[in-house]
Amino acid sequence: QEAQTRPSRCPDNSAFKQQKLPAWKPQLSLASVLSIFFVIGAACLAVGICLIVSANSVREIEINYSDTCSDCSTLRENSSNWNKECYCSADFILKEDMLGDVFMYYGLQNFYQNHRRYVISRSDVQLLGRDVNVENSYCTPFTTYENGTPMAPCGAIANSIFNDTIDLFYNVNSSVIQVPLLKTGNSWWTDKNVKFRNPVAQNLSSAFAGTARPPYWQKPVYMLDEEDERNNGYINDELIIWMRVSAFSTFRNLYRRVSRTGQFADGLPAGNYTFYISYNFPVSKFKGKKYVILSTVVWSGGSNPFLGIAYTVCGTAATLTGFVITAIHLKLRKEKTYFQK
């Protein structure tokens, strides 16, 4: 009687639970298999070639200013000189016009951001503008000062932010024209509207009252952009972009966009240019290099040909596999005909 009252563990008598649904079992023939390989190969080759051609059409110029600014680098290696300004310049010639939207990047070489302790050294709750005890976060050792004042933002990632200032000047007809650069609109919409928020207060200085800048910063977080309140604090574009760590030791981050106004409405005209750099980010101790890159973009993105090469390799492999299967089939059919005779 107890067995009858106990609920049954058998599945319902339905087509789904009894695995009686109709199924389609494809019968693969030689013609269908070869068709699949050749169609996939042709499609991947076509896409890969288009991506490679598109990437090669990107105009790009890269300037290594690590050696050019060696004097400033030596100055910055001494931490006691943190409050001393150092400027350097790098001249270059743009042989052809860079038409369309032009983007300025800074690049770092031999700078490893993929160490586990470095990657987790941040407080996402703090970056959302919420009150949080950073001592209980992963920001160690960049959490508080000896007097207990919390750092804002905390963590090794924020503390090591790239803080060189780079300006671009156009030298034409014995005159120097500063190229207008846009420092906002460079981060993702989700970053600036979802992942990063400033504390709620009447003004940013009061919002960050009771906190202090990270040790390697020259100014507090609420003074990152004193000209534009919408680009200040935790929602500063440069901070947001830096907080998106790279998986490789050599990487580039978007720094500025050329404002297409006046003489630069169509992009950058050919001619002589100069980068004026306020040097603050030392790299010689870890044998690193610093670059500034000017680049255009196309429908497929920047000048990285990796995706096109990957498609081309996959398409070539699929096509070769199709030919190998065809050769094996013809050989076996020939041997079968021979033995039948």
Side-chain angles (χ1 to χ4, degrees), residues 65-66 69 72-73 76 86-88 104 106-108 160-167 218 238 242 255-256 276-283 289-292:
Y65 66 93
S66 304
C69 301
C72 289
S73 178
R76 283 286 171 258
C86 189
Y87 297 92
C88 58
M104 180 189 293
Y106 62 84
L108 291 176
S160 61
I161 189 173
F162 181 87
N163 56 353
D164 284 0
T165 302
I166 307 172
D167 293 313
Q218 296 176 333
E238 294 179 35
W242 179 259
Y255 181 69
R256 296 285 190 269
Y276 283 95
I277 302 159
S278 174
Y279 197 105
N280 298 302
F281 194 88
V283 295
K289 298 290 184 181
K290 292 195 294 187
Y291 304 87
V292 57

Side-chain angles (χ1 to χ4, degrees), residues 211-269:
T211 65
R213 60 177 175 81
Y216 293 168
W217 285 30
Q218 296 176 333
K219 51 188 176 181
V221 65
Y222 57 86
M223 294 179 63
L224 291 179
D225 189 351
E226 300 180 71
E227 299 176 358
D228 189 352
E229 190 77 10
R230 298 170 299 176
N231 188 44
N232 214 345
Y234 292 149
I235 57 174
N236 176 264
D237 275 43
E238 294 179 35
L239 174 63
I240 291 174
I241 292 172
W242 179 259
M243 296 299 291
R244 192 185 311 129
V245 296
S246 171
F248 302 100
S249 61
T250 299
F251 61 93
R252 64 174 63 178
N253 284 335
L254 182 59
Y255 181 69
R256 296 285 190 269
R257 291 176 295 123
V258 174
S259 177
R260 298 180 62 178
T261 57
Q263 193 169 357
F264 309 98
D266 297 326
L268 291 180

Side-chain angles (χ1 to χ4, degrees), residues 27-42:
Q27 298 294 330
L28 296 178
S29 62
L30 178 66
S32 60
V33 171
L34 290 177
S35 299
I36 292 173
F37 274 105
F38 285 126
V39 169
I40 293 177

Side-chain angles (χ1 to χ4, degrees), residues 62-77:
E62 181 178 281
I63 305 297
N64 181 349
Y65 66 93
S66 304
D67 298 331
T68 306
C69 301
S70 58
D71 293 340
C72 289
S73 178
T74 304
L75 178 72
R76 283 286 171 258
E77 293 300 338

Side-chain angles (χ1 to χ4, degrees), residues 27-28 63 78 82 121 151 167 169 174 259 262-263 288 311 329:
Q27 298 294 330
L28 296 178
I63 305 297
N78 188 347
W82 67 271
S121 185
M151 300 179 189
D167 293 313
F169 290 85
S174 301
S259 177
Q263 193 169 357
Y311 268 103
H329 171 71

